[in-house]
Amino acid sequence: RLRDLRLAVRGASGAGGLGLHASRSRGAGLEFAQYRGYEPGDEPRRIDWKLFARSDRYFVRESERDSPLTAWIVVDASASMGLADGVDPSTTKLDDARLLAACVLELAVRQGERFGLALLASPAPTWVTPAGGTRQRDRCLLDLERATSAGAMPAEAALRPLWERIEPGALVVVLSDMFDDALVAHLERLSAARREVVVIQVIGADERDFPFRGGHRFVDPEDGAELRVDAPAARADYVARFAAARAALAARLAAAGVRVDTHVLGEPVDAVLRRLFGSGPAARRA
């Protein structure tokens, strides 16, 4: 389902969508990446004959060549990402963010890109410095698996490396519910400093539709603030205000040159990636 998707930036040559870039390519290069099975059309000189002698199978050495593209996956691991939907209480926003991040990692590995990971959790983010290859992917997956949703978004001083470490021209894929204004401000700065920022807002259907009945007590998972409401009486106003807030966020990010799309818990995770990184009509409309 990901095979026709491609990470790319708008600033490089190409037409439509995010465009194309001169990818960090697999082939004859300086740095060994991995082995793969021989395929018709591969150059015989790239076959590892010593490995053939041991295994009686043809394998091709793949190497990595430098490319303009470095991809950063930024995952919000604050407490609000621990919310689960009533439809499937076993899956949280962070769970789907992890899965989306894993998909982006696979795209980067397949294209031979360099990629890094930033987990935004209190008190300070966790960083995986960009590199390429399957070992780097596995390192990122391990950190994603260890991540838990807790605490508030890191303070502004702790977020500063978002624009200090991520170099100009990098593709930055942000996975967050986008409920923190400090993060929005940093993404505006990143975009203004010539980073290609793409936001996937991860929300729950319950957050969007407010399907609750009777009286409810809602507790902010980050600051403990409480709100008691009669759900049916509050529904229309809440739904309208939540939709308006999302529209305002999208407009603010668009004004800063940031693309934003939404993933709702329960939806196929490749759908939003297809809208952002596919080449079909759905991607062109996004």
Side-chain angles (χ1 to χ4, degrees):
R1 288 161 67 174
L2 302 176
R3 68 183 59 176
D4 59 338
L5 304 186
R6 184 172 182 82
L7 301 179
V9 294
R10 283 180 296 197
S13 62
L18 288 176
L20 301 174
H21 68 283
S23 173
R24 179 182 176 93
S25 59
R26 301 287 189 187
L30 297 177
E31 182 182 351
F32 174 74
Q34 64 184 12
Y35 287 106
R36 66 166 172 81
Y38 175 83
E39 297 175 355
D42 286 333
E43 300 177 44
R45 64 185 176 87
R46 293 175 55 202
I47 296 174
D48 190 307
W49 295 106
K50 292 182 179 180
L51 186 57
F52 168 74
R54 295 195 302 268
S55 65
D56 201 33
R57 294 179 59 191
Y58 293 106
F59 289 93
V60 171
R61 290 175 62 92
E62 287 193 328
S63 302
E64 296 174 341
R65 292 183 289 196
D66 290 337
S67 160
L69 180 64
T70 297
W72 276 92
I73 299 96
V74 179
V75 179
D76 178 358
S78 62
S80 65
M81 292 293 287
L83 179 75
D85 247 4
V87 176
D88 182 8
S90 66
T91 301
T92 67
K93 291 190 287 187
L94 181 59
D95 291 330
D96 272 18
R98 276 194 281 244
L99 187 52
L100 284 161
C103 291
V104 176
L105 291 172
E106 285 300 322
L107 292 176
V109 169
R110 188 180 66 192
Q111 294 176 205
E113 314 294 3
R114 296 175 67 251
F115 52 93
L117 174 69
L119 290 169
L120 306 185
S122 185
T126 299
W127 303 91
V128 178
T129 302
T134 55
R135 288 186 178 180
Q136 171 75 352
R137 176 203 61 196
D138 293 345
R139 187 180 302 117
C140 292
L141 289 175
L142 183 60
D143 276 10
L144 283 169
E145 182 64 25
R146 291 170 173 167
T148 57
S149 52
M153 182 68 62
E156 182 167 340
L159 284 176
R160 191 169 298 126
L162 277 179
W163 54 273
E164 292 178 343
R165 295 191 182 206
I166 300 175
E167 63 270 27
L171 173 65
V172 185
V173 181
V174 182
L175 304 166
S176 170
D177 52 22
M178 299 302 295
F179 291 162
D180 191 280
D181 192 66
L183 177 60
V184 178
H186 275 276
L187 298 184
E188 290 173 321
R189 294 180 65 185
L190 275 174
S191 182
R194 297 186 298 112
R195 280 73 169 172
E196 182 79 35
V197 182
V198 176
V199 170
I200 299 177
Q201 186 180 25
V202 182
I203 63 171
D206 287 354
E207 288 178 314
R208 180 192 61 190
D209 302 332
F210 206 74
F212 308 106
R213 299 180 180 181
H216 277 265
R217 179 174 65 94
F218 294 94
V219 180
D220 189 312
E222 296 184 8
D223 63 14
E226 296 186 10
L227 181 65
R228 296 178 182 271
V229 299
D230 177 63
R235 180 174 297 116
D237 180 60
Y238 169 87
V239 169
R241 292 173 64 182
F242 190 70
R246 289 179 58 207
L249 172 67
R252 178 178 172 181
L253 291 174
V258 176
R259 291 192 70 190
V260 60
D261 209 322
T262 303
H263 169 75
V264 181
L265 293 182
E267 293 181 345
V269 294
D270 65 313
V272 66
L273 296 174
R274 193 164 301 282
R275 293 193 296 267
L276 290 167
F277 300 116
S279 58
R284 289 194 290 270
R285 289 195 300 268

